[in-house]
Amino acid sequence: LSQEVDNDGDKPRMAIAVNNTHYQKLRRLFGHSHHTQDDAAASDDKQFHGSVWCLLTRYDTLRPHGYQAALSHHGFRVLEQRLGVDCECFASPLNCHFGAGNFCSAFPDTDSMFGSRGSFFDYFPNQGSFEANPPFVPELMLAMAKHMELLLTQSESAAESSSDNAMSFAVVIPAFDSNQGQSSRRGGG
């Protein structure tokens, strides 16, 4: 995939590679997000390719930051079957398992074209079962835990008036020094 970029009248060609599997996945997500039945005609090719270009260059700038563990397809199936998980709190259009409308991501401006619900921190569901596999940054994991506590408290309050408001999170994080986490929770270093 390549995209022309204007540079003071010059038109240098810049290219970024994407494998066919990811390209087809992005095509399906884009088509689903734009309510297009025919994946091959997923809206306008120019809009699709421009959206792919923005998405890929955005995520390319993260290398080598923002690492997280990948949960296997089998792991997701277990979460789906045993816990009813159907939404991811930290994914991207490139690695989401559940598809359009069932994942949150870091960059709503580029990822929404492919079905992202936006940032997990701006997402306020009142029910559901979610998989959370954040980038392994202690401050981000702490913010995630605080947001989850808020969501669970709100869901619990809503559940008092309805039995349909159950909420759960399956969290994938590395083992780290629990003293560091406890110190952070108390406002220490």
Side-chain angles (χ1 to χ4, degrees):
L1 178 66
S2 66
Q3 180 81 17
E4 289 186 9
V5 179
D6 283 329
N7 185 11
D8 295 327
D10 295 325
K11 290 192 177 192
R13 293 196 54 88
M14 298 178 64
I16 190 162
V18 59
N19 69 43
N20 190 52
T21 301
H22 281 118
Y23 181 84
Q24 294 304 321
K25 180 179 188 174
L26 293 172
R27 174 68 80 179
R28 283 189 306 276
L29 291 171
F30 187 86
H32 181 78
S33 296
H34 293 83
H35 310 291
T36 303
Q37 295 297 328
D38 182 3
D39 287 345
S43 193
D44 172 43
D45 268 354
K46 187 173 182 178
Q47 182 185 13
F48 169 70
H49 287 131
S51 296
V52 169
W53 175 257
C54 290
L55 176 117
L56 293 176
T57 54
R58 169 69 64 81
Y59 280 95
D60 189 55
T61 63
L62 290 178
R63 290 183 303 156
H65 307 289
Y67 290 119
Q68 62 197 95
L71 193 59
S72 70
H73 178 71
H74 176 72
F76 273 109
R77 273 201 359 245
V78 169
L79 292 178
E80 286 177 84
Q81 293 170 352
R82 296 195 180 173
L83 301 176
V85 169
D86 65 359
C87 189
E88 298 165 83
C89 300
F90 297 90
S92 79
L94 296 167
N95 72 3
C96 66
H97 175 79
F98 295 111
N102 293 329
F103 69 96
C104 296
S105 62
F107 307 112
D109 60 332
T110 56
D111 299 354
S112 65
M113 298 298 287
F114 302 94
S116 171
R117 290 182 174 263
S119 169
F120 172 66
F121 300 107
D122 295 327
Y123 182 49
F124 293 91
N126 60 6
Q127 64 185 24
S129 188
F130 304 87
E131 182 267 353
N133 180 8
F136 299 152
V137 177
E139 297 80 9
L140 185 68
M141 291 187 291
L142 180 61
M144 174 195 70
K146 288 180 180 179
H147 189 63
M148 287 176 175
E149 287 175 3
L150 172 68
L151 294 174
L152 289 167
T153 300
Q154 290 175 347
S155 176
E156 189 174 83
S157 296
E160 292 173 5
S161 62
S162 169
S163 62
D164 294 336
N165 288 43
M167 180 176 283
S168 65
F169 293 93
V171 179
V172 179
I173 57 173
F176 65 97
D177 183 355
S178 63
N179 292 329
Q180 177 186 2
Q182 291 300 320
S183 177
S184 295
R185 294 268 326 207
R186 285 179 275 185

